[in-house]
Amino acid sequence: MSSVATLFSGLPSQVATRLDEGLSALGTPVTARQHDQLLGLLALLHKWNRAYNLTAVRDVNDMVSRHVLDSAAVLPFVEGPRLLDVGSGPGLPGLVLAILKPELSVTLLDSNGKKVRFQRQAVMELGLSNVTPVQARVEQFAESVFDQVVSRAFASLVDFVNLTRKLPTAEGQWLAMKGPGANEELRDLPGDIRLHARHTLNVPFETAERQLLILTPQGVE
């Protein structure tokens, strides 16, 4: 058994079944290694969550849909090659996207020490050479080298854009994963930022409305 497979050897069998069914519904093919890494991530998250309260989702079966599949749903819109995950928490969606698209260079940014420690442990145990966890407040993070900046549960659209204005490249995009209340937030966008595209995210096993808003500076296609 590989070292990654050892991580999830204690997971209930229905977790792998649920993951397989969900990835199939999303049309997301995975290699055997990617499959093992996703299960390993779930096992680590479930284990650490009991001690460090990384997420309000307690049941590992719910973690499959609410964390892994929810993150995987944006994969078709992630181009990279340099992706910044702002307010990444325990590494979502960044870790999932890094597993599913190994050619990405993913930076995970969060100010919470215990969550970044989890990110680093996951990177090490899952053998992810394309992920860099960073503990810092976004206001103090000054690298301007990212083709896309993604946020899953970080802030309002206005705060997301304003706090990260200097982080995308001139041709970069903001990818905001949102629920149904995004219309009001869109009305408050700065005048020099436009909604480039809007996509409904159909997350398997979830009924709550999810969508991805892709934002760009005015004039950028």
Side-chain angles (χ1 to χ4, degrees):
M1 183 180 293
S2 70
S3 57
V4 174
T6 303
L7 289 175
F8 62 83
S9 58
L11 284 179
S13 59
Q14 66 264 29
V15 173
T17 301
R18 189 175 179 88
L19 177 65
D20 293 343
E21 292 176 354
L23 291 171
S24 177
L26 288 173
T28 304
V30 293
T31 65
R33 175 167 174 75
Q34 289 170 325
H35 185 263
D36 285 357
Q37 287 174 318
L38 291 173
L39 286 175
L41 176 59
L42 284 163
L44 282 170
L45 187 57
H46 188 237
K47 176 182 177 181
W48 276 59
N49 200 45
R50 286 178 289 188
Y52 296 105
N53 194 30
L54 300 177
T55 167
V57 180
R58 298 296 180 185
D59 189 289
V60 68
N61 288 292
D62 291 336
M63 288 180 178
V64 174
S65 55
R66 295 186 189 179
H67 290 328
V68 172
L69 299 178
D70 185 73
S71 298
V74 302
L75 185 68
F77 313 105
V78 174
E79 301 167 357
R82 297 160 298 181
L83 178 72
L84 173 65
D85 180 5
V86 173
S88 184
L92 302 165
L95 287 173
V96 174
L97 296 173
I99 290 170
L100 294 175
K101 201 164 188 173
E103 65 270 25
L104 282 177
S105 175
V106 178
T107 298
L108 309 175
L109 180 64
D110 203 278
S111 61
N112 186 299
K114 64 183 180 182
K115 292 179 180 178
V116 176
R117 284 193 294 275
F118 172 78
Q119 295 172 12
R120 291 173 178 150
Q121 187 72 17
V123 166
M124 180 185 70
E125 296 209 36
L126 300 176
L128 298 174
S129 60
N130 59 331
V131 180
T132 303
V134 176
Q135 183 181 348
R137 294 181 60 85
V138 65
E139 301 93 328
Q140 300 166 334
F141 187 68
E143 294 186 40
S144 180
V145 294
F146 300 99
D147 303 288
Q148 292 178 309
V149 179
V150 66
S151 168
R152 182 169 177 258
F154 171 61
S156 69
L157 282 179
V158 173
D159 287 343
F160 177 36
V161 170
N162 286 337
L163 289 170
T164 61
R165 268 188 180 273
K166 297 181 179 179
L167 300 179
T169 63
E171 304 293 317
Q173 296 179 331
W174 288 275
L175 307 181
M177 300 170 68
K178 286 288 179 180
N183 285 338
E184 185 173 337
E185 294 183 30
L186 281 168
R187 288 195 289 269
D188 296 327
L189 274 181
D192 60 339
I193 304 297
R194 74 183 186 96
L195 177 63
H196 172 73
R198 185 177 201 155
H199 302 281
T200 298
L201 300 176
N202 296 310
V203 181
F205 312 114
E206 292 294 315
T207 57
E209 179 182 325
R210 297 289 282 153
Q211 59 182 319
L212 176 68
L213 307 179
I214 302 179
L215 310 175
T216 59
Q218 288 284 9
V220 176
E221 293 300 323

